[in-house]
Amino acid sequence: EVQLVESGGGLVQAGGSLRLSCATSRFTLDDYIIGWFRQAPGKEREGVSYISSGDRTTAYADSVKGRFTISRDNAKNTVYLQMNSLKPEDTAVYYCAATFLGALGSYYSPKTYPHWGQGTQVTVSS
């Protein structure tokens, strides 16, 4: 079973920044499309951003565009989500997930990703 591990969550004031990390020792992350998702209490899990394998194409949900940046460090086998200008509505559990290039479905949909981490809590205070 693929195992992803997220870290970097915490409590931050509105306007602050956090950097989330997604890592694994089980496989090479650059062989997969990596997505970041979040789930707030009482809400469905939503896609935040993803980065493609190979050409490192990135995409962002409108709600985070211009504030969040996804990137890879292949030497560390880690994918990051840099979150700036955080807002209280960004509060959620954040998950990273992995899928294959060419997987059926939207890369913003949780259903497209078979492999998940356990999540890390991000809380933004006003």
Side-chain angles (χ1 to χ4, degrees):
E1 180 180 353
V2 171
Q3 183 176 11
L4 301 171
V5 179
E6 303 97 335
S7 61
L11 173 64
V12 64
Q13 289 188 334
S17 298
L18 285 173
R19 188 177 76 163
L20 305 183
S21 300
C22 174
T24 182
S25 60
R26 302 288 186 89
F27 61 99
T28 301
L29 283 179
D30 200 32
D31 291 339
Y32 293 77
I33 292 170
I34 304 299
W36 281 99
F37 293 79
R38 65 186 182 187
Q39 188 166 18
K43 295 188 176 181
E44 293 186 354
R45 192 168 298 188
E46 64 171 349
V48 172
S49 179
Y50 65 84
I51 185 166
S52 182
S53 57
D55 66 0
R56 302 191 182 188
T57 298
T58 60
Y60 301 91
D62 287 344
S63 58
V64 306
K65 199 171 295 182
R67 299 188 298 122
F68 290 11
T69 303
I70 191 170
S71 63
R72 292 182 184 270
D73 184 336
N74 289 340
K76 296 182 178 180
N77 203 32
T78 300
V79 172
Y80 300 103
L81 185 68
Q82 177 68 44
M83 306 187 297
N84 299 328
S85 302
L86 283 162
K87 304 175 181 180
E89 51 263 44
D90 294 319
T91 295
V93 178
Y94 282 71
Y95 301 88
C96 67
T99 192
F100 297 99
L101 183 65
L104 295 179
S106 166
Y107 293 132
Y108 285 115
S109 172
K111 296 179 180 179
T112 305
Y113 293 78
H115 309 297
W116 290 84
Q118 81 290 349
T120 185
Q121 176 71 46
V122 171
T123 304
V124 184
S125 63
S126 58

